[in-house]
Amino acid sequence: MRPPSSGRIVGYLVGMVEVPEQFLRMPRWWTEGAEWLAGLPQAVDRQCARWGLEVVGAVAHGSNAIVIPVARGADEFVLRMSPPGREVAEQAWALRWWDGRGMVRLYDADVDAGAMLLERLSTPLSTRPVEEAIGVLGRLMRRFAVPAPVEAQSTADIVTKRSAELEPQWERLGRPFDLAILRAALDLAPNETSSTLAVNGDFHSDQVLAGSREEWLTVDPVLYRGDIEFDLGRVLWTRLDEMTDIVRYFDLLVAEAGLDRDRAYAWVIWRTVDYWLWGLSAGLTEDPVRCARLISSLSD
């Protein structure tokens, strides 16, 4: 795939803050979102006027949203803008439910505009050494783990549904890795759980930033109910290039989060194979290699 040929969007946000070129060229926008991107400067303008905000800094971004430092009088926030839809509604629900417990504070949300007004944070945990980051992430996983709302999706249901798709996807992709790896993931699949704890289903070093209210706070959560080990694999594979002894970091994460090692191992194997196949189907090139290394290291 190629980025849109139209190049950059010409336009400025409130306070002459420009939409970053790098954000405009994120893979998500290669096939969707052109209309939303074209109207983004005006949408930020409208949202700032609606909430009485002044832009006071440069735009930052992830893959799906921009984040703009804003102020209202002496109060400092960030304005997060992403395409309106279900993801925005679910994220706002998760933030309100956790209510600042290891999470960024949500002050206001306009789901129809894809806008959220959030607590101002600073440096991402991904800038810290991997050993420090693993410790922080493990402790945060346990901090999130309070009794979940009954309406939250179960991790066991997610595993059951996705497990049925793995072998057909593996076949369609031309059997990209040994059948024994796939079989191991399916045999270990944690498709039953007695846990009713809250789980953040999108969790890694780039989603945790330094705060003032708490040392580290999490952004962009997905609220599930069940096994808090759900995203252990992602915690590891997103920093894998910095790890010389992967098993040691796995054990550190298990210890910091207070987990059962066998259950954690099952989750990492299943989730890594799940992501490995998804990444190949999406055309990713680097993450599938990391998944292969992670599986190999933990299986030795």
Side-chain angles (χ1 to χ4, degrees), residues 5-142:
S5 59
S6 56
R8 61 192 306 181
I9 294 173
V10 178
Y12 294 88
L13 306 183
V14 176
M16 302 299 288
V17 179
E18 191 175 7
V19 180
E21 176 76 15
Q22 186 180 8
F23 177 70
L24 302 178
R25 296 196 174 278
M26 283 288 169
R28 172 171 181 170
W29 316 124
W30 297 356
T31 57
E32 63 178 333
E35 185 176 350
W36 179 77
L37 287 172
L40 184 53
Q42 294 77 19
V44 173
D45 242 342
R46 288 192 298 271
Q47 207 61 45
C48 285
R50 186 171 302 154
W51 284 341
L53 304 172
E54 176 188 3
V55 172
V56 294
V59 175
H61 68 88
S63 57
N64 301 319
I66 60 169
V67 179
I68 310 158
V70 293
R72 187 163 52 207
D75 297 324
E76 296 183 333
F77 311 94
V78 293
L79 174 64
R80 183 187 189 277
M81 299 290 294
S82 60
R86 176 178 162 186
E87 287 183 7
V88 180
E90 290 180 348
Q91 190 178 120
W93 170 63
L95 288 172
R96 287 192 175 109
W97 186 84
W98 263 301
D99 193 25
R101 182 185 179 90
M103 294 282 174
V104 66
R105 185 82 70 187
L106 174 67
Y107 293 105
D108 209 340
D110 184 341
V111 171
D112 291 339
M116 288 189 283
L117 189 64
L118 301 166
E119 179 178 5
R120 180 89 62 88
L121 304 178
S122 59
T123 311
L125 185 59
S126 54
T127 63
R128 303 301 301 160
V130 64
E131 186 149 352
E132 177 185 345
I134 290 293
V136 170
L137 293 167
R139 292 188 292 274
L140 278 171
M141 288 174 68
R142 181 53 63 183

Side-chain angles (χ1 to χ4, degrees), residues 189-203:
N191 50 21
E192 294 183 358
T193 183
S194 59
S195 174
T196 57
L197 296 176
V199 182
N200 181 7
D202 187 1
F203 190 52

